[in-house]
Amino acid sequence: MTSTPVPVSTPDGDMPAHLWLPEAGRGPGILLLQEIFGVSRYIEQRARDLAGLGYVVLVPELFWRLGVSRVEEGPEALEEALALLQQADWQAAVRDSLDALEQLGARSEVVGGVGIVGFCFGGGLGFSVAAESSPDVLVSYYGSALPDILGLVEPDAPVTVVEPGAVTAPSLHHFGLADRFLTPPVVEQVRDALEPLEQVTFHGYETADHAFDNPDFFLHDAEASRLSWERTTAWLAQHLPVG
């Protein structure tokens, strides 16, 4: 299964993006938001996985303003990705993602609703986007900016702080409970803020670290990845059904 390059129109020019179609050629839409490594091999695989489930998947290149599609794998990849994150304009990324979500929903191939799935950088970004729009669902994997967005910590990025209930769509959150980036006490704060809400489903994974779903990253946790994806596919089938 291959993707098709498609432009996403923004007030500042066209943002490159990639579209995966399911075998049926149409279905509900999913805006897939990248990690800090860009549209990597891993993100492409998750796009194929979602298209294989019957979704029309759009993956924008959120570092396009920095001239970067992806960070190439290698010993310097993490350092390079973190440097890009520091340079990225968060509010511009939110606006770009809102444009991508709107244009995905307007595509003729999309029927039956539109959702957001995000990982790490994209997991937090997806929450901000969902707070400013009306997706049908949100799936967030270890959203790295969520503590900032929810006002649980002193923001170290220019995010807009929102109330936990600002996202009214059903949402699914996955976090590693041994996360060395989002420490366990911070993850517990996020859980305490979100889990009481009726529309929220929260799963923690006892031994999993950050980015545990990425098989190309040294913190990959195969069991947490398997279980979380199993839960994600079942949850999507319930809240954003295909057909």
Side-chain angles (χ1 to χ4, degrees):
M1 185 181 295
T2 59
S3 64
T4 301
V6 294
V8 172
S9 300
T10 83
D12 301 316
D14 286 346
M15 173 173 58
H18 309 269
L19 184 74
W20 277 262
L21 293 178
E23 185 176 353
R26 61 205 304 260
I30 287 184
L31 177 66
L32 178 55
L33 300 177
Q34 67 183 52
E35 301 179 306
I36 62 173
F37 298 105
V39 183
S40 63
R41 179 174 65 176
Y42 157 63
I43 291 298
E44 290 176 339
Q45 182 57 57
R46 280 303 185 216
R48 286 191 290 270
D49 292 339
L50 289 164
L53 295 173
Y55 297 99
V56 175
V57 185
L58 181 66
V59 185
E61 296 183 6
L62 295 174
F63 290 157
W64 71 287
R65 295 168 186 274
L66 302 174
V68 175
S69 171
R70 70 168 71 186
V71 176
E72 296 302 327
E73 295 176 32
E76 308 300 325
L78 181 58
E79 183 178 347
E80 292 176 18
L82 289 171
L84 284 169
L85 183 62
Q86 293 301 314
Q87 298 173 58
D89 184 326
W90 176 268
Q91 297 298 346
V94 172
R95 294 192 301 271
D96 290 343
S97 300
L98 286 165
D99 288 336
L101 183 67
E102 180 180 5
Q103 290 169 47
L104 173 62
R107 295 191 66 91
S108 60
E109 304 96 336
V110 172
V111 292
V114 179
I116 301 170
V117 176
F119 296 88
C120 186
F121 170 71
L125 184 66
F127 193 90
S128 286
V129 172
E132 296 188 29
S133 59
S134 300
D136 292 284
V137 297
L138 166 68
V139 178
S140 174
Y141 273 73
Y142 32 83
S144 53
L146 267 174
D148 305 77
I149 295 165
L150 295 171
L152 302 175
V153 298
E154 188 67 30
D156 61 1
V159 303
T160 299
V161 175
V162 300
E163 292 296 319
V167 174
T168 58
S171 64
L172 173 63
H173 297 266
H174 300 289
F175 279 94
L177 300 183
D179 194 318
R180 68 186 70 181
F181 175 67
L182 297 170
T183 61
V186 173
V187 172
E188 284 304 311
Q189 285 183 285
V190 174
R191 174 177 238 159
D192 290 345
L194 293 177
E195 196 170 37
L197 300 175
E198 182 180 3
Q199 71 272 26
V200 172
T201 301
F202 190 105
H203 291 295
Y205 302 85
E206 290 292 340
T207 62
D209 208 318
H210 197 69
F212 65 77
D213 189 55
N214 185 346
D216 296 326
F217 194 58
F218 73 99
L219 297 178
H220 177 60
D221 185 309
E223 177 57 20
S225 176
R226 181 199 65 77
L227 180 57
S228 63
W229 193 250
E230 182 180 282
R231 287 169 166 168
T232 293
T233 56
W235 188 89
L236 284 172
Q238 178 184 358
H239 295 281
L240 191 66
V242 174

